[in-house]
Amino acid sequence: MPERPPETPVPSPAPRRSPVSVRASFSTFPSPLLAATGIVLDGLGRVLVLTTSHRDDPELPGGAVADTETPEQGLARALEEELGLTAPVGRLLAVDSCPPGALGRSLVAHVHLVGPLTDSEADGLALPDGEVTGADWLTPEEAAARLPARTAPRLRAALAALYSGSFAHLADGVPQPGSPAGLDPADRAALEHAGRFDAAGHRASRPKALTAANVLFTDGRGGIVLVQPGYGAPGRWLLPGGGVDSDLGETPREAAAREVREEIGLDRAPGRLLGVNWSHRPGYPARIRFLYDGGVLGPAELAAIRLPPDELVRWRTARRKELRGLVKGSLRRQIKACLDALAEDAGPLELHDGRCVHPR
C-alpha cells in the first residue's frame, strides 16, 4: 500500500486585534486636514461672509473637523460656536482637495449648503466666542469678489452645484474634467470636442434636464382644471402633473397617469400628446414638459376630485381669460397653445418657453 502523503499543517488564525490597537495603528497613518465649510444662504439668496480676529481675509463659516466628527457634525459645531446658529447642515455641494500649503498638510474641504435661513434665524445670529468679529450678507457676486483666491472658487462651484442640482469635484479650487458641476460650460464643450473625456466623465459632465408630464383637463364650458400646491411660491396654480421618475423606468405618459391618480384621484389614461415644451435658465437644468389631453370632465368626475392634503391645498377651473392672474407666463403660454391645438386638431406642438417654434 502506498504511503499517505503527510498532512499539510493548517495555520492557526491570527489573534484578533483589539479596537485599541486598531485605533493606534490608524493614528500613525499620514492624513490630510479635513475641513467643513458652509454656504449659508438667507431667503434672498445672499451668502454669509465672516470677518475673524485671526485672519486678514474674510472667510466662509466652518472650520477644521475633529478626529471624532463627521464633516456634517464639525460644521454644525462650528456654526453654533461661531454664530449661535443651530440650523441643520444640508446636502454636500462640493469637495475640494488641496496640496500642502502654509501648514504643511494637504487639505480636503467639504462644502455644504446651510439654509436658506428664515428671517428670524438670519436676524438672530450672534458672535459668542469673539473669534468672529463681523458677519455680512452679500450677493454671490459680492461674496466671490471679497473672498480670497483660495476660497472664492469653492463658493462659485458650490453655488453652481446648488442651482444645477448636482455636485462639484475640485482640486485646489479648479473644477476637474468630468465634474458634474462647476466646470464652465464653454470649457466643458471644448474638452468634450477635444476628446478629453472618458465615458464616465462624459456622462457626469453632460448638461442635465428635468422632465415633467402634465395633463390638460377641461370642464366642457371652457374651464381648465388647475391645482394649487402647498409648497413653493404662494398663490400659484398649475396643471395636474409632475416629475417623470425616469430612474425607475417611467415614461412621460405613465408619469402623467400616475400624477393624475395621486393629485386629483382620477384613474384616467391620458389622451393624445398636445405639445412638448423646452425651457432653460442659465445655471439651471433645462426643463422639458410633456402636455397631454385629459379630455372633458363631467359633473360627476369633477365632484369626485380628491386632493392629497400634504401636497395640494385646492383646485378650481379657470377660463382662458382668467389665466393671467393665476398662472406664470411660460405655463400660461403652454396652456393656450395646447387649447389652440385641441380646437384646431393640430399638434403635437414643439414649444420653447411656451412659444411655438413652427407657428401653425
Side-chain angles (χ1 to χ4, degrees), residues 27-63:
S27 70
T28 65
F29 287 13
S31 61
L33 293 172
L34 180 60
T37 299
I39 306 298
V40 183
L41 301 180
D42 69 359
L44 300 176
R46 295 180 301 180
V47 179
L48 185 63
V49 175
L50 306 181
T51 305
T52 65
S53 60
H54 57 281
R55 285 183 178 170
D56 295 332
D57 293 323
E59 60 185 46
L60 295 170

Side-chain angles (χ1 to χ4, degrees), residues 86-106:
T86 57
V89 173
R91 76 178 185 88
L92 182 65
L93 298 175
V95 170
D96 190 6
S97 303
C98 304
L103 299 179
R105 295 278 296 280
S106 59

Side-chain angles (χ1 to χ4, degrees), residues 156-196:
R156 295 190 186 96
L159 290 175
L162 170 63
Y163 299 137
S164 64
S166 192
F167 172 81
H169 167 207
L170 310 177
D172 205 16
V174 179
Q176 296 302 287
S179 176
L183 193 62
D184 181 87
D187 292 341
R188 189 271 310 161
L191 288 169
E192 182 176 328
H193 296 156
R196 295 281 301 279

Side-chain angles (χ1 to χ4, degrees), residues 238-261:
L238 307 171
L239 290 175
V244 179
D245 291 335
S246 56
D247 56 340
L248 299 178
E250 188 175 56
T251 67
R253 180 172 291 275
E254 291 168 342
R258 173 181 54 78
E259 289 284 347
V260 166
R261 288 193 303 271

Side-chain angles (χ1 to χ4, degrees), residues 87-148:
V89 173
R91 76 178 185 88
L92 182 65
L93 298 175
V95 170
D96 190 6
S97 303
C98 304
L103 299 179
R105 295 278 296 280
S106 59
L107 171 73
V108 176
H110 284 219
V111 185
H112 287 265
L113 172 67
V114 179
L117 302 187
T118 64
D119 290 343
S120 60
E121 288 174 327
D123 293 339
L125 295 180
L127 310 178
D129 65 2
E131 287 193 13
V132 176
T133 57
D136 297 310
W137 291 103
L138 306 175
T139 67
E141 294 78 13
E142 292 170 339
R146 186 177 298 186
L147 289 168

